[in-house]
Amino acid sequence: MKDYLTESLVTPRKYECDVCVCGGGVAGIAAALSAKRAGAERVILLERSFMLGGLATAGLVTIYLALCDGYGHQVCFGLAEELFKLSIEHGAEDRYPTAWLDGGTVEERAKRRFEVQFNAQLFALSAERLLRREGVKIMYGASVSGACVEDGRITDIIIEGKGGREAVSVRGSVVDCTGDADVCKLAGARTANYAPGNKLASWYYGVAEGELDLYMVGVHDVNDDKNATDLQDKRRFTGLDTDELSEMVQIGHSAMMRNFIDRRSVKPDLVPVTIATTPEVRMTRRLVGAYTQDIDEVGKRYPDTVGIFPNWKKIGPVYELPFSALYGNDVKNLAAAGRCISVTDEMWDVTRVIPVCAVSGEAAGAAAAMCSDFAKIDIKKLQDHLLKSGVLLHNYIEELK
Ligand SMILES: Cc1cc2nc3c(=O)[nH]c(=O)nc-3n(C[C@H](O)[C@H](O)[C@H](O)COP(=O)(O)OP(=O)(O)OC[C@H]3O[C@@H](n4cnc5c(N)ncnc54)[C@H](O)[C@@H]3O)c2cc1C
């Protein structure tokens, strides 16, 4: 028996769009909205699950990290700020940034970063409503499984869902917001994997004594992790293999159950109310773009800057985002946003967080509405559009110092 199967497929071209955004996480939400606002008529957002938000909602990663530099100055504006406010339109779950939203001084703002904890379900519902209102066609249960490329351009994106295998014809451009650069890989663009792999994380929400709490089982971003377990030091996961991901999720569920039983001995009325329904992997696969941004490039100016963002881990550093980190040299009408943009391993940990995903999503979406060959984009037109949308392109505060 051969170890592969040759299939002959006839795939109906059922849908057509000008901009196809693949993946409905924070980057995809921003990209789809931005494409629509930049004038694309038919924007389709393909999402394999049945909820928007990706890791931020289904993954219960409900902390919208900093929009500021840590010295009291906001640096992320545009959709990064709009989605921040949308995530708490019905109230913050925790960490409400009073000094930032209710008129604090720079000194007060410097004491606490511009971040917030939101409710995952409400954010997903609000984002869906906003996209629908603005005319984005959302297709749930649509798993991207192929990309047809002719003359260096994607002509069709193949989806698999309840309707079977179908093609979405693309007149303009595609934005890969799958988090794992799935489209880049399927279209034959150069990609790189995160070699160190991901540590296990398996978060859940529970209610005890009337209080809702997020329990971060496994590894999370707080160094003095009182909930840390030995899971942190054992397995590493690529996030790119079905069998491995399934095993990871099941190890995570066992750890979650142990954590729950331990906690219940202290809080007898504790009940879990939500568990993460998407694997919590941080860095998996990314585009190898026309440019690869590195962690040392703090404050560096690029001719093709399309946004700025801070380092959530450190107070001070602010980076510009070069557009050339969002597209590659192999597929003309394909851009990446969110977790899968072109950055070094060290930089990946800075750019993968929610506000930066919104920044790259906004830039990629607007660009997709404007051209179908990203290397040839009129960068001035894109920058002017982003400026008009409220995005800051350079760190003027730094320049004034
Ligand atoms: C444990 C953990 C803790 C974190 N903590 C924080 C934090 O505190 N604050 C913070 O700001 N960030 C945090 N992050 C990072 C942040 O949550 C994510 O990196 C960010 O939300 C990623 O957004 P994204 O849109 O790029 O990708 P994702 O959120 O991964 O979204 C990708 C979307 O694409 C869909 N998709 C994937 N493949 C396909 C396909 N083939 N076809 C169709 N759809 C597809 C997915 O279902 C998903 O909806 C954390 C991440 C992890 C794992």
Side-chain angles (χ1 to χ4, degrees):
M1 197 170 75
K2 290 182 189 162
D3 60 358
Y4 60 86
L5 193 69
T6 308
E7 293 177 274
S8 164
L9 297 165
V10 177
T11 308
R13 279 188 155 140
K14 189 151 176 202
Y15 308 97
E16 191 177 76
C17 65
D18 300 305
V19 172
C20 182
V21 177
C22 302
V26 170
I29 294 168
L33 265 179
S34 179
K36 198 73 198 155
R37 290 178 183 176
E41 258 182 52
R42 296 164 305 171
V43 178
I44 288 189
L45 174 61
L46 303 171
E47 169 53 48
R48 69 179 171 190
S49 73
F50 289 86
M51 178 184 195
L52 292 183
L55 279 164
T57 59
L60 302 183
V61 174
T62 51
I63 300 143
Y64 205 122
L65 282 171
L67 301 177
C68 70
D69 64 359
Y71 291 128
H73 312 118
Q74 183 175 346
V75 295
C76 295
F77 292 85
L79 276 173
E81 181 184 357
E82 185 178 333
L83 295 180
F84 183 102
K85 290 181 175 161
L86 185 77
S87 76
I88 53 166
E89 68 170 345
H90 298 288
E93 201 169 83
D94 202 0
R95 307 185 186 203
Y96 181 80
T98 308
W100 289 96
L101 295 178
D102 298 336
T105 61
V106 172
E107 289 70 33
E108 284 163 343
R109 292 173 173 198
K111 287 187 191 141
R112 204 187 159 294
R113 292 194 84 170
F114 192 174
E115 58 189 36
V116 78
Q117 187 163 338
F118 55 86
N119 178 275
Q121 289 73 25
L122 287 172
F123 185 26
L125 295 177
S126 296
E128 182 187 277
R129 190 193 50 197
L130 179 62
L131 289 183
R132 279 163 54 96
R133 279 188 181 158
E134 301 219 9
V136 173
K137 179 178 171 69
I138 303 169
M139 290 185 62
Y140 285 128
S143 202
V144 174
S145 62
C148 301
V149 180
E150 270 174 36
D151 298 328
R153 284 192 72 254
I154 296 180
T155 57
D156 296 85
I157 289 290
I158 308 298
I159 54 169
E160 316 236 6
K162 276 289 172 189
R165 188 182 152 90
E166 297 167 323
V168 180
S169 289
V170 181
R171 293 276 158 244
S173 294
V174 178
V175 188
D176 186 345
C177 299
T178 60
D180 306 317
D182 284 5
V183 186
C184 296
K185 177 79 178 166
L186 291 165
R190 241 183 101 201
T191 57
N193 294 355
Y194 183 64
N198 290 267
K199 297 176 184 179
L200 189 77
S202 190
W203 297 6
Y204 69 99
Y205 270 90
V207 173
E209 292 158 13
E211 291 277 321
L212 180 71
D213 264 316
L214 174 60
Y215 298 110
M216 303 182 203
V217 181
V219 94
H220 65 78
D221 296 322
V222 182
N223 291 330
D224 59 348
D225 180 8
K226 63 180 188 305
N227 304 325
T229 67
D230 60 352
L231 291 168
Q232 282 190 17
D233 301 316
K234 291 186 177 162
R235 291 277 298 273
R236 296 289 183 275
F237 302 89
T238 65
L240 296 171
D241 179 88
T242 308
D243 198 23
E244 179 222 52
L245 264 178
S246 304
E247 195 192 347
M248 176 189 134
V249 167
Q250 289 167 66
I251 296 172
H253 286 166
S254 302
M256 201 185 277
M257 184 63 101
R258 282 198 301 277
N259 182 281
F260 163 69
I261 290 166
D262 285 353
R263 282 175 185 280
R264 207 173 198 185
S265 61
V266 185
K267 296 179 177 176
D269 70 337
L270 175 66
V271 280
V273 287
T274 329
I275 65 173
T277 52
T278 198
E280 292 168 307
V281 283
R282 292 172 162 89
M283 284 96 82
T284 55
R285 181 168 54 211
R286 65 168 176 85
L287 171 74
V288 176
Y291 186 77
T292 299
Q293 189 177 30
D294 194 17
I295 191 101
D296 295 334
E297 298 175 29
V298 180
K300 183 170 171 182
R301 272 190 172 238
Y302 312 93
D304 61 345
T305 294
V306 284
I308 61 173
F309 56 91
N311 184 335
W312 64 273
K313 292 169 130 176
K314 286 187 188 161
I315 286 176
V318 173
Y319 295 89
E320 298 193 3
L321 177 67
F323 184 61
S324 40
L326 307 189
Y327 66 87
N329 296 319
D330 315 295
V331 185
K332 292 175 188 156
N333 62 341
L334 174 63
R339 284 201 287 131
C340 45
I341 65 172
S342 185
V343 287
T344 59
D345 279 5
E346 260 191 302
M347 190 59 172
W348 212 336
D349 208 23
V350 176
T351 56
R352 71 178 171 84
V353 296
I354 295 170
V356 192
C357 291
V359 170
S360 61
E362 179 163 19
M370 289 177 190
C371 75
S372 55
D373 184 346
F374 289 111
K376 292 194 178 145
I377 195 165
D378 179 345
I379 195 71
K380 175 85 173 55
K381 186 175 162 202
L382 175 62
Q383 290 170 329
D384 285 348
H385 170 83
L386 291 168
L387 283 169
K388 275 197 205 117
S389 311
V391 173
L392 263 196
L393 297 186
H394 304 291
N395 190 3
Y396 300 104
I397 312 277
E398 191 57 39
E399 282 166 22
L400 290 176
K401 274 187 198 164

